[in-house]
Amino acid sequence: MRNYGYWKKRGVKEVQDKFPFQNIFQSLKTPLHLLLEERYRSFGKLYGVYEGTKPILVVAEPELIKLITVKDFHVFSDRRVLKLGDSTLDKMLSVQSGEEWKQTRSIISPTFSSGKMKKMAFLIKDTIESLIQNLEEAADKKEVIDCKKFFGAFTMDTIATCAFGTRVDSHKDPNNPFVKNARALFNTNLKLKQIFTLICPTLAGILGIRFISSNIVNFFQSITNQLVEHRQKNKERRNDFLQLLLDAHHSVQEDDEQSQETNSMDSAHGHEDEGKAPAWKPTMRNAWTHEDVVANSFLFFLVGYDTTASALSYAAYSLALNPDCQEKLIQEIDGVWKEHGGINYEQIGKMVYLDCVVSETLRLFSIALLMERVANEDYELGDTGIKISKGTLIQIPVYAIHHDPDYYPQPDVFDPERFLPEKKKDRHPYSYIPFGAGPRNCVGMRFALMEAKLCLAQILRTFRFRACAETREKLDFYIGQGLLQAKKVPLQVEKRADV
Ligand code: HEM
């Protein structure tokens, strides 16, 4: 049964399937980023699509995005409902809705405050050192590296230490039980296209996915149990997420820092009015259980591993193909190094060109291709006159907005200077949303930026990335995924002779 005409009747342009479920088949055939760009060109910033018979409104107009994600957040606080049918996994922040989500978010947000991130930067230092050693071996052998593998090992080590208090070198020690389980999780049971369902469950909704094997959940549950027991028995504390989540229920009244503050780390990525949606205030917190701790450590691992590894791979690739930008970044890094004798959390927050490089990477390669919200009541969309019924799904095509030549002339060119403060101020802030927007944006943004910036600053002090025969001018991406996932990012690393 088709529902065509639903949007037309409401005065909205619509994409009609030529045959039932064409939209779904198309998204499994064409890379989603290309589909989103093509529709943006043909239908503009406001149009309707159908997922089977379900009408979806696609909104790409920055002022309307701000309305939906911030000003009228009370109507659009949820994503599409995705119950995984597992009592632990259903406690993950990203799949919760309504009051449950508010309570969990109120507990989790402070764990990402800048004070906590600063302490966590010390843990990341060790994992960067392992990465540098691994890159050094590759440079000595003049190997072609797949950046995704090296940065994937680095982000896995980082999440292992920050979320599970477990020190591993997954590049050198692939048989470590943590690494084996993590790899099994990503390679088999939880394909990357399904991971995105955690932050934007489009494909899960379409395919009716129920995933994540209980063996793997049990493994992570059991290591968390052992760690908690060990820390309690030995009165041991560590500056990691596990500790912060464990402390959360003891410090119910403590700081709600993240929803209030913005800092230099957020830079172009956060929006000033984020977290200040008029109708949203952190609610009273209920008891925070051991299951909540396990679920959310696990979630950080799921969403923090591949996203940041991809961001670093795309940054390395862009710098290798744009040596002028790489030299400019190296100059900034060397300058800071000379002045401070190294680069730590404080310095990366002040490095303007480093921020431009990371921002431009996340624009050109918008890792989360789209965002979703659901209307929890009937609603009229700003002054468009469009009436949205309760339950309607809204999609925000992030990748297409980031490639709009009106905001970003020559959108396929890597040009970090677009993000210099004087250029940024001329653009609508909601035309740049790599971490989403509003109180439901990426809670891990600050951590991801810190991790990526610290890593880039440290490795470019030792190496340069170089394109090689295997490096393609255009990357090849997996199809049917909500995440922009390159198949391979081959490059060479060269040890710097000038330091
Ligand atoms: C470059 C890296 C990353 C990118 C591009 C990214 C992007 C996103 C996006 C677009 C969303 C949806 C936001 C919205 O709907 O408005 C999201 C949600 C989320 N992200 Fe990230 N993310 C990254 C890294 C991380 C890391 C490292 C963590 C944790 C350690 C994390 C944890 C989360 C969580 C828990 C949510 C769900 C928030 C909620 O529902 O309240 N992300 N992310």
Side-chain angles (χ1 to χ4, degrees):
M1 259 252 306
R2 302 200 196 180
N3 208 358
Y4 294 153
Y6 178 93
W7 290 118
K8 217 167 154 193
K9 264 188 255 155
R10 285 162 176 76
V12 182
K13 282 187 226 164
E14 61 177 30
V15 182
Q16 285 203 358
D17 291 355
K18 293 198 179 69
F19 53 87
F21 301 105
Q22 186 195 8
N23 183 19
I24 294 172
F25 285 119
Q26 224 174 355
S27 49
L28 296 173
K29 208 178 72 195
T30 317
L32 184 59
H33 64 290
L34 299 181
L35 203 64
L36 293 173
E37 244 193 317
E38 185 191 307
R39 289 187 178 157
Y40 187 85
R41 273 197 297 269
S42 311
F43 295 90
K45 294 182 183 169
L46 193 60
Y47 61 89
V49 286
Y50 298 91
E51 195 179 275
T53 57
K54 194 179 165 65
I56 297 174
L57 186 66
V58 180
V59 180
E61 175 57 51
E63 206 46 44
L64 294 178
I65 294 174
K66 184 173 173 183
L67 194 65
I68 290 168
T69 56
V70 180
K71 288 193 185 147
D72 289 334
F73 179 72
H74 61 288
V75 181
F76 297 101
S77 55
D78 298 331
R79 304 198 180 95
R80 132 186 12 214
V81 175
L82 178 75
K83 285 283 166 208
L84 301 169
D86 177 290
S87 66
T88 306
L89 298 182
D90 284 335
K91 291 192 162 31
M92 294 193 295
L93 174 73
S94 63
V95 298
Q96 286 184 321
S97 46
E99 273 307 302
E100 247 182 5
W101 170 79
K102 274 191 195 175
Q103 294 193 0
T104 308
R105 180 93 187 201
S106 306
I107 292 168
I108 286 181
S109 285
T111 65
F112 288 91
S113 72
S114 43
K116 309 269 166 58
M117 290 300 99
K118 197 171 159 183
K119 288 185 185 155
M120 224 170 279
F122 284 100
L123 299 177
I124 298 182
K125 236 175 111 188
D126 287 348
T127 57
I128 295 177
E129 263 165 36
S130 304
L131 173 65
I132 289 180
Q133 273 175 25
N134 295 331
L135 286 175
E136 208 151 344
E137 286 166 23
D140 289 344
K141 290 188 211 146
K142 299 198 181 342
E143 255 175 41
V144 174
I145 60 160
D146 179 4
C147 287
K148 289 192 56 190
K149 287 204 176 128
F150 280 75
F151 288 124
F154 161 66
T155 57
M156 185 177 291
D157 297 353
T158 302
I159 287 281
T161 186
C162 292
F164 288 94
T166 302
R167 184 76 186 93
V168 291
D169 180 346
S170 40
H171 188 81
K172 289 227 170 70
D173 188 10
N175 291 324
N176 177 299
F178 185 95
V179 179
K180 271 175 128 172
N181 270 280
R183 288 209 194 285
L185 175 65
F186 285 99
N187 291 341
T188 55
N189 296 289
L190 188 66
K191 300 237 169 65
L192 286 163
K193 66 182 165 203
Q194 296 158 346
I195 292 171
F196 187 63
T197 60
L198 297 163
I199 49 179
C200 175
T202 319
L203 284 160
I206 297 169
L207 303 172
I209 291 162
R210 292 286 176 269
F211 54 93
I212 307 185
S213 121
S214 53
N215 287 348
I216 293 182
V217 180
N218 291 345
F219 171 81
F220 284 101
Q221 198 149 19
S222 111
I223 59 166
T224 313
N225 289 345
Q226 285 167 26
L227 282 165
V228 172
E229 219 171 273
H230 177 85
R231 286 190 194 179
Q232 280 168 348
K233 208 164 123 197
N234 299 294
K235 299 208 168 14
E236 207 177 275
R237 293 183 59 79
R238 201 167 173 269
N239 288 321
D240 58 15
F241 284 123
L242 179 62
Q243 191 70 50
L244 295 170
L245 293 176
L246 281 170
D247 289 349
H249 66 288
H250 298 304
S251 58
V252 169
Q253 302 306 328
E254 224 197 74
D255 48 2
D256 272 306
E257 292 165 57
Q258 206 207 9
S259 54
Q260 311 300 335
E261 65 171 357
T262 50
N263 76 351
S264 54
M265 190 63 71
D266 300 344
S267 111
H269 310 274
H271 304 110
E272 270 174 20
D273 34 14
E274 220 117 76
K276 292 178 190 154
W280 188 71
K281 290 210 169 52
T283 53
M284 280 304 293
R285 294 157 183 180
N286 275 350
W288 181 240
T289 65
H290 181 71
E291 229 178 2
D292 290 297
V293 174
V294 175
N296 288 290
S297 300
F298 191 57
L299 172 65
F300 293 167
F301 184 61
L302 291 178
V303 293
Y305 158 64
D306 188 75
T307 46
T308 316
S310 293
L312 282 163
S313 304
Y314 298 143
Y317 170 79
S318 305
L319 292 170
L321 292 188
N322 297 276
D324 293 356
C325 302
Q326 179 159 226
E327 290 316 311
K328 208 163 170 185
L329 181 54
I330 284 178
Q331 250 181 33
E332 184 181 60
I333 292 167
D334 287 357
V336 174
W337 207 284
K338 221 169 161 186
E339 195 182 334
H340 298 276
I343 292 187
N344 63 23
Y345 181 83
E346 253 110 43
Q347 281 97 44
I348 53 164
K350 293 181 197 142
M351 293 172 69
V352 176
Y353 197 70
L354 175 62
D355 186 62
C356 290
V357 166
V358 172
S359 302
E360 175 67 345
T361 302
L362 292 175
R363 178 200 68 80
L364 190 56
F365 300 99
S366 314
I367 290 165
L369 297 170
L370 48 80
M371 283 154 59
E372 283 191 354
R373 297 290 187 269
V374 174
N376 61 26
E377 58 184 62
D378 290 346
Y379 175 81
E380 191 164 328
L381 183 61
D383 56 8
T384 63
I386 298 169
K387 291 196 167 58
I388 294 174
S389 308
K390 179 177 175 177
T392 302
L393 190 65
I394 308 288
Q395 285 186 346
I396 300 172
V398 179
Y399 183 92
I401 300 168
H402 287 178
H403 287 76
D404 181 339
D406 287 346
Y407 305 124
Y408 304 100
Q410 295 189 285
D412 295 329
V413 172
F414 180 75
D415 175 11
E417 305 205 352
R418 303 178 200 271
F419 286 91
L420 286 173
E422 61 272 22
K423 298 222 175 128
K424 227 162 52 183
K425 73 174 176 17
D426 295 333
R427 278 192 303 268
H428 195 296
Y430 288 77
S431 63
Y432 184 65
I433 44 173
F435 291 99
R440 190 125 206 193
N441 70 350
C442 174
V443 77
M445 172 177 76
R446 197 169 281 162
F447 178 75
L449 289 173
M450 167 182 77
E451 186 184 3
K453 287 181 177 182
L454 274 176
C455 180
L456 277 180
Q458 302 279 348
I459 52 182
L460 286 171
R461 177 70 185 161
T462 317
F463 308 98
R464 280 186 173 84
F465 294 107
R466 295 288 187 214
C468 56
E470 287 80 350
T471 312
R472 299 270 167 279
E473 219 171 280
K474 277 202 179 305
L475 291 173
D476 202 5
F477 295 100
Y478 285 109
I479 294 179
Q481 309 203 9
L483 280 182
L484 190 67
Q485 254 290 314
K487 289 184 182 163
K488 255 185 167 184
V489 185
L491 291 178
Q492 275 189 313
V493 276
E494 184 185 280
K495 253 170 133 174
R496 284 182 57 190
D498 55 340
V499 277

